[in-house]
Amino acid sequence: MIPLVKPFFPPREELMPELEQIIYSGYVAEGQPVYDFEDKFRAFIGNPNCLALHSGTDALHLAYILAGIQPNDEIISTPMTAEPTNTSIAMVGGKVVWGDVNPNNGLLDPNSVRELITEKTKAIVLVHYAGMVCNMDEFNKISKKFNIPIIEDAAHSLGSKYNGKQTGCNSAYTIFSLQAIKHMTTVDGGFLAMNNSDQMDRARRMRWFGLDKKRSRLENDIIEVGFKYAMNNVNATIGLVQMRHIEEVISKYINNGKFYDKELLGVDGVKLVDYCPNTEASYWLYTMKVEDRENFMKSMEAAGILASPLHHRSDTHSIFNSSKRNLPGMEEWYNHFVHIPCGWWVSEEDRQMIVDTIKKGW
Ligand SMILES: Cc1ncc(COP(=O)(O)O)c(C=O)c1O
């Protein structure tokens, strides 16, 4: 069965000696490998203000705190995401306000967001779902007009671009996940990127209980509660080795995605997504809409191909009952969207076979 997701790890001969070296080095907590990994990641993204963390969820939690979210502040978000985007809003006491999605791509719809803005709106979270980038042209206008910061959840979209610039340089805060199945994994890990350096020291303290790592424990004074969100040297060492492969790995996702965009255009029963202006997707999952999804998935499975929707819509969880509202775009999208395998493990023969199988009908 060709899977939908699969972790990429560099060859054993390359990774294992470096891992072994760090594990027995006597220093496995946050140290130089973490700072070296941060430097490499900053260079890749093109943003010097990136901090390594233990997970993407940690990065989201910190982003909401740094954005100044207070209990009962409203944050406009999308149900078309993994749970942490929205559970971390609840962690800071914020109220999730569900924007509707564009039924042609599952991404937050700027028109819906505009209608939801109130005095209580303190942030807009954009999830670049499955590697597609949200309509940044429109969201930047909204952010400017209402003076509301954008937090980009780029857990799915490492390597995607807006106006030719990597995701991670374009908004007040952007978070990345290096969890098991993402474009790049360090087993677990995350990054928080910010568009200026003002809050870097504060964020650094918050990833380590509120302590300042530059001072000794005895000289430290915690002035704000922090968390244990630091990355350790073991995860960072995996990341350093991964960085040598990242361009090549991401380009495999993108090449396969573009192949499907071309080959599946106009195929009966398939509707391709609308990509937003001035964006370049990084195709973490290839996403499209199909008629009769149940039978589509069955016929793909019979051919040895895993096809399915991945995430459960977040607005159905009981903790968000008070945010419930009618989302017609989401209904339409949610009933038809599906993913097909597209990542680094999908060979040219595989992708051709996948296209041929779809073209046969279901
Ligand atoms: C859209 C989205 N946001 C945030 C996260 C949280 O990342 P992590 O698992 O690294 O905490 C994930 C993934 O797992 C995700 O898919």
Side-chain angles (χ1 to χ4, degrees):
M1 186 77 78
I2 305 175
L4 213 44
V5 290
K6 186 170 173 175
F8 170 84
F9 280 105
R12 188 182 298 262
E13 318 77 76
E14 186 185 356
L15 179 61
M16 282 309 161
E18 300 198 30
L19 257 185
E20 194 173 323
Q21 198 273 330
I22 195 68
I23 286 170
Y24 294 104
S25 68
Y27 199 115
V28 291
E30 181 194 305
Q32 198 54 45
V34 174
Y35 311 134
D36 293 344
F37 181 35
E38 284 178 332
D39 284 342
K40 293 265 187 261
F41 192 83
R42 287 169 185 151
F44 178 74
I45 297 295
N47 180 352
N49 307 311
C50 295
L51 281 186
L53 299 167
H54 189 69
S55 73
T57 308
D58 299 348
L60 278 163
H61 188 203
L62 290 191
Y64 294 132
I65 294 173
L66 297 172
I69 305 305
Q70 298 293 320
N72 301 318
D73 284 349
E74 293 181 357
I75 300 185
I76 302 176
S77 183
T78 172
M80 192 61 249
T81 185
E83 284 76 5
T85 311
N86 296 309
T87 53
S88 22
I89 295 176
M91 281 166 77
V92 293
K95 175 161 193 273
V96 177
V97 175
W98 300 118
D100 203 356
V101 304
N102 177 338
N104 299 324
N105 59 22
L107 301 174
L108 203 55
D109 176 356
N111 294 325
S112 157
V113 169
R114 252 188 221 99
E115 288 168 7
L116 295 167
I117 290 174
T118 70
E119 277 169 14
K120 288 187 176 173
T121 311
K122 292 293 165 357
I124 299 167
V125 192
L126 302 180
V127 177
H128 303 316
Y129 183 76
M132 298 175 278
V133 182
C134 293
N135 191 333
M136 297 305 295
D137 283 352
E138 290 305 311
F139 283 113
N140 283 339
K141 283 185 208 156
I142 295 173
S143 168
K144 221 171 177 176
K145 178 169 176 196
F146 296 97
N147 194 24
I148 296 172
I150 287 176
I151 297 168
E152 292 180 57
D153 180 337
H156 296 180
S157 62
L158 182 64
S160 64
K161 291 182 181 161
Y162 170 59
N163 275 341
K165 277 166 60 184
Q166 287 278 340
T167 296
C169 318
N170 298 310
S171 295
Y173 307 95
T174 305
I175 75 94
F176 295 93
S177 165
L178 308 176
Q179 173 265 351
I181 56 173
K182 300 296 168 15
H183 287 100
M184 172 166 78
T185 182
T186 54
V187 179
D188 253 323
F191 268 97
L192 171 64
M194 292 173 270
N195 69 354
N196 68 54
S197 57
D198 297 359
Q199 298 204 81
M200 283 286 279
D201 282 339
R202 184 176 174 212
R204 266 197 196 94
R205 287 194 304 272
M206 289 187 111
R207 76 176 171 186
W208 193 244
F209 308 116
L211 291 164
D212 181 353
K213 277 245 175 198
K214 291 186 205 122
R215 292 163 179 264
S216 81
R217 215 70 176 220
L218 295 178
E219 289 166 15
N220 249 290
D221 176 29
I222 294 178
I223 50 173
E224 181 176 29
V225 173
F227 310 90
K228 194 183 174 202
Y229 285 173
M231 181 176 275
N232 63 54
N233 281 351
V234 179
N235 295 126
T237 297
I238 298 173
L240 278 166
V241 182
Q242 289 282 33
M243 287 308 293
R244 295 177 204 145
H245 299 266
I246 191 67
E247 305 255 9
E248 197 192 334
V249 171
I250 291 177
S251 74
K252 286 190 177 157
Y253 285 81
I254 294 175
N255 286 339
N256 285 337
K258 289 194 164 158
F259 176 82
Y260 292 136
D261 281 343
K262 196 160 122 274
E263 296 294 324
L264 294 175
L265 186 66
V267 171
D268 252 7
V270 171
K271 186 159 183 330
L272 300 187
V273 296
D274 292 341
Y275 297 103
C276 296
N278 303 316
T279 68
E280 293 168 55
S282 61
Y283 297 90
W284 179 53
L285 300 162
Y286 191 78
T287 311
M288 58 193 190
K289 282 165 82 178
V290 288
E291 282 166 20
D292 191 3
R293 183 171 59 190
E294 280 310 305
N295 275 327
F296 175 83
M297 292 191 303
K298 277 191 201 137
S299 92
M300 295 293 275
E301 194 179 342
I305 305 155
L306 197 78
S308 93
L310 195 77
H311 291 302
H312 183 264
R313 58 188 289 176
S314 291
D315 57 339
T316 52
H317 291 293
S318 298
I319 57 164
F320 298 123
N321 276 349
S322 65
S323 295
K324 264 231 157 16
R325 56 186 289 270
N326 195 19
L327 301 170
M330 184 67 192
E331 293 298 331
E332 161 61 24
W333 171 256
Y334 200 67
N335 289 330
H336 293 102
F337 86 99
V338 74
H339 302 299
I340 56 172
C342 163
W344 62 270
W345 60 97
V346 177
S347 67
E348 289 187 12
E349 296 77 51
D350 290 338
R351 71 190 194 186
Q352 188 60 56
M353 187 274 279
I354 292 172
V355 165
D356 293 342
T357 306
I358 296 173
K359 282 185 175 168
K360 276 189 215 143
W362 56 96

